[in-house]
Amino acid sequence: MEAAVQQTPKRARPLAGTTVGIPPRQLDFTLPAQGQRYFYDNNATASLFFAMLSAFFPPGEDYFVESVRHYRKRVTDPKLKAEVSGFIGQEAIHGREHDRLNELLSSRGFAMKAPDKAVRAALWVLDQLPQSQKLACTTFMEHFTALLGEQLLTDELFARRAEPEMIQLWFWHALEELEHKSVAYDVYDLVGNSRRERILAYALVTGTMIPAVLASWGYMLAKEGVFRNPKDIRRGMKLLLGRKGFITRILPQMGLFARKDFHPDKHDTRALVAKWRNKLFGESGSLASDLRNPEVATVQ
Ligand SMILES: [Fe+2]
Ligand SMILES: [Fe+2]
């Protein structure tokens, strides 16, 4: 009689980023092809702003990853090494999922090539800089994406205004931006943080990105015929730039980056991260069953 072979269940090896709270979660968002055309509060101006932003992510995140990867070999601390690996993993998946969202928005008829070209032109300029200046630019843009993420997760109006299927993708991205918000900065600290370079990064990024935003958003609005609808523009501007507008709330905090003692962790978002990990990936989280690598869900 053959002895029964006792099989020990194989435990998936935790991914490096997962061990330090930066798990690259594998998700495939399925978005409805026929959703509401103006997915943000049925307003074309604001919806096209978020569509433009989505187009900026994949090339932008490639730039972030490349600028950090350049210094990866200098990182010897095991914790930071794992954080870098989590950061790279998360950003790669963000780029992939925003590409899919961008294709969907393109199939709905939005002029998505315009923001793609505009952001690539801006990044081409930033790509000509010395490596440490490039990393400084990344840390500034990561400061912006962390603020954006925090705004998305705390602005209850955003949740009520956006298309429900699409908002899950934005929530997941926002959460992970907060989880990895310090990684690029810690690598930058390691390779010689210079305040002069940071202030220059502020100027260079805003000097290249603001024209890219205005030109491509303006083009998208023109293509969509929104300029013939001043009511839509007025309301969209109020939603984004009004007293309690989405962007208005972010702008005052942008300047923190130029402070001598700036560090992303000085603004504590751990409670917000814990709350949203649970909301999205906890036992009855809205995305828990969509996670293709559930072993990362154990992250605390
Ligand atoms: Fe990202
Ligand atoms: Fe990021």
Side-chain angles (χ1 to χ4, degrees):
M1 209 171 120
E2 267 180 60
V5 180
Q6 193 75 34
Q7 293 252 331
T8 14
K10 253 191 195 168
R11 268 192 68 194
R13 191 170 62 90
L15 300 167
T18 304
T19 59
V20 285
I22 307 178
R25 300 178 181 87
Q26 286 291 353
L27 289 150
D28 301 298
F29 287 92
T30 38
L31 300 162
Q34 301 302 327
Q36 190 179 26
R37 182 168 184 77
Y38 301 130
F39 54 86
Y40 191 74
D41 212 22
N42 204 19
N43 176 267
T45 306
S47 299
L48 289 171
F49 176 83
F50 287 108
M52 176 270 303
L53 202 58
S54 179
F56 272 40
F57 282 125
E61 289 172 326
D62 279 352
Y63 182 93
F64 303 167
V65 166
E66 284 318 309
S67 62
V68 171
R69 210 197 297 267
H70 178 83
Y71 289 107
R72 199 177 189 177
K73 283 203 178 107
R74 294 228 209 143
V75 180
T76 50
D77 173 56
K79 184 167 176 275
L80 187 54
K81 263 185 164 182
E83 286 171 346
V84 167
S85 141
F87 163 80
I88 292 175
Q90 287 191 337
E91 294 292 34
I93 305 170
H94 298 168
R96 184 190 73 202
E97 291 306 304
H98 274 277
D99 269 338
R100 293 176 58 193
L101 172 61
N102 299 339
E103 272 170 36
L104 176 96
L105 294 173
S106 189
S107 74
R108 285 187 189 179
F110 291 164
M112 298 299 282
K113 279 199 181 128
D116 180 69
K117 278 188 188 160
V119 74
R120 284 181 198 280
L123 290 169
W124 181 86
V125 175
L126 300 179
D127 213 22
Q128 309 313 307
L129 301 166
Q131 286 295 340
S132 66
Q133 185 65 65
K134 277 164 76 170
L135 186 56
C137 290
T138 289
T139 63
F140 177 64
M141 291 188 271
E142 280 285 281
H143 174 55
F144 173 73
T145 55
L147 292 175
L148 190 68
E150 185 179 4
Q151 172 66 12
L152 266 159
L153 299 181
T154 50
D155 184 351
E156 284 175 14
L157 285 174
F158 183 88
R160 272 190 264 147
R161 284 171 177 151
E163 187 178 300
E165 286 88 353
M166 202 178 286
I167 201 166
Q168 294 297 320
L169 183 151
W170 291 89
F171 282 157
W172 153 75
H173 191 172
L175 167 68
E176 294 194 350
E177 284 309 315
L178 290 182
E179 284 178 333
H180 72 228
K181 68 176 182 177
S182 315
V183 179
Y185 201 85
D186 286 340
V187 174
Y188 185 53
D189 258 345
L190 184 76
V191 299
N193 183 344
S194 137
R195 188 168 177 227
R196 192 193 60 83
E197 226 172 35
R198 273 196 284 129
I199 290 169
L200 193 57
Y202 198 136
L204 288 163
V205 171
T206 49
T208 49
M209 288 297 167
I210 290 176
V213 164
L214 296 178
S216 57
W217 186 26
Y219 180 82
M220 291 169 90
L221 292 170
K223 277 287 259 186
E224 198 69 16
V226 186
F227 288 122
R228 290 192 297 271
N229 186 356
K231 216 172 137 190
D232 188 288
I233 295 187
R234 265 200 308 276
R235 201 163 68 84
M237 288 302 178
K238 200 176 162 203
L239 288 169
L240 297 170
L241 295 160
R243 204 162 55 84
K244 287 186 175 173
F246 189 83
I247 300 300
T248 316
R249 293 184 182 197
I250 293 176
L251 293 179
Q253 297 176 72
M254 292 299 291
L256 296 177
F257 181 79
R259 281 193 185 167
K260 203 172 163 189
D261 61 347
F262 171 79
H263 190 282
D265 284 342
K266 286 198 171 163
H267 178 53
D268 191 352
T269 46
R270 282 174 299 179
L272 188 65
V273 164
K275 178 179 157 189
W276 279 89
R277 273 180 186 157
N278 193 42
K279 271 180 104 148
L280 299 181
F281 301 104
E283 230 170 279
S284 49
S286 53
L287 289 171
S289 59
D290 297 317
L291 204 56
R292 278 203 282 119
N293 54 343
E295 65 273 17
V296 303
T298 53
V299 66
Q300 290 304 309

